[in-house]
Amino acid sequence: MAESTAKPIDVHTWSTPNGWKIPIMLEECGLPYRIVPVNIGKGEQHAPDFLAISPNNKIPAIVDPDGPGGEPVSVFESGAILQYLGRKTGCLYPSDERARVAVDEWLFWQIGGFGPMLGQAHHFRIYAQEKIPYAIDRFTEEAHRLYGVLDRRLEGREYLAGDYSIADVAVLPWAKFHAKQGIDLDQLPNAKRWLDTVLARPAVQRGLAAI
Ligand SMILES: N[C@@H](CCC(=O)N[C@@H](CS)C(=O)NCC(=O)O)C(=O)O
């Protein structure tokens, strides 16, 4: 946890790609936080206390005791949390509108596609008791398409959208599990170089170790 005199942000989360984004962001921005584990394997995401801050029964969610106007605020949906923390701190989220549009594009690309489709690929390839070839092929093909988009985007670019940003923070915990999604990153040199770079960041390593 980062050192600060500010009141810690409660991070309701679990050890999943979406769940790791928030401790990574908080470590990057040096904000103090406390992990409140929500064991989704045991169904804790359906507890009334959690639903009060995350009505879609999914992690992550945060409660910031020092929200707008100095009052507490809760935020669910990882993209909304990253944008909130970026606006609150000015960290990893540019204020220049042209730069911000680019970050938002790649953030929403992850939220709407790279996360959900890779989650399905991982599920049908690894977790599902019944191996369903149609589902495995469908989501593995989509994973290949998405990683192709990522690799082309990173050609000649260090990060996804200008400087290192919340877009990179959103994509990296998903890309870390490329092998389970049926992806050989050695075939995608730009994505591989980017992933090695972002995973080497000390704040990323601390965030990944936080839950
Ligand atoms: N769009 C959401 C997705 C969150 C999500 O899918 N969370 C999963 C873990 S990665 C979860 O809480 N699953 C529990 C459930 O579906 O009951 C976000 O980005 O925050």
Side-chain angles (χ1 to χ4, degrees):
M1 186 184 299
E3 298 285 332
S4 169
T5 54
K7 288 185 245 168
I9 292 174
D10 281 340
V11 184
H12 300 252
T13 195
W14 194 240
S15 49
T16 73
N18 288 319
W20 279 308
K21 293 173 190 171
I22 310 308
I24 290 171
M25 177 67 175
L26 291 162
E27 290 286 351
E28 291 283 9
C29 300
L31 285 176
Y33 66 95
R34 293 189 301 217
I35 296 288
V36 183
V38 180
N39 186 333
I40 61 173
K42 290 188 176 163
E44 291 176 3
Q45 70 274 32
H46 300 289
D49 284 3
F50 182 66
L51 290 176
I53 59 167
S54 188
N56 194 37
N57 64 262
K58 292 190 188 284
I59 59 97
I62 63 166
V63 179
D64 180 1
D66 186 23
E71 297 297 317
V73 67
S74 64
V75 190
F76 73 99
E77 280 290 329
S78 63
I81 299 169
L82 291 174
Q83 288 180 325
Y84 169 73
L85 294 172
R87 288 192 302 268
K88 177 184 170 87
T89 60
C91 171
L92 306 191
Y93 197 33
S95 53
D96 170 74
E97 182 60 13
R98 190 169 295 275
R100 181 166 284 194
V101 164
V103 170
D104 285 346
E105 285 178 320
W106 289 94
L107 174 65
F108 280 79
W109 174 78
Q110 185 283 307
I111 299 291
F114 197 74
M117 294 299 109
L118 301 186
Q120 296 299 323
H122 193 153
H123 178 85
F124 284 108
R125 294 174 62 84
I126 311 281
Y127 286 122
Q129 298 277 331
E130 187 190 351
K131 297 298 176 214
I132 305 167
Y134 177 80
I136 292 171
D137 291 349
R138 176 180 167 84
F139 292 111
T140 304
E141 272 173 33
E142 180 63 357
H144 277 278
R145 189 191 69 78
L146 287 160
Y147 272 91
V149 172
L150 179 68
D151 195 61
R152 285 192 295 280
R153 174 63 184 177
L154 289 166
E155 187 170 359
R157 279 190 181 84
E158 196 171 1
Y159 300 110
L160 273 166
D163 294 338
Y164 179 67
S165 73
I166 57 174
D168 300 284
V169 170
V171 174
L172 80 88
W174 284 99
K176 183 172 189 283
F177 294 95
H178 54 89
K180 292 189 170 168
Q181 300 148 5
I183 300 298
D184 176 5
L185 221 55
D186 288 334
Q187 306 301 314
L188 301 161
N190 304 306
K192 182 171 167 41
R193 184 256 313 145
W194 166 85
L195 185 62
D196 289 345
T197 301
V198 293
L199 286 177
R201 293 177 69 90
V204 170
Q205 292 175 7
R206 289 195 302 274
L208 288 170
I211 175 88

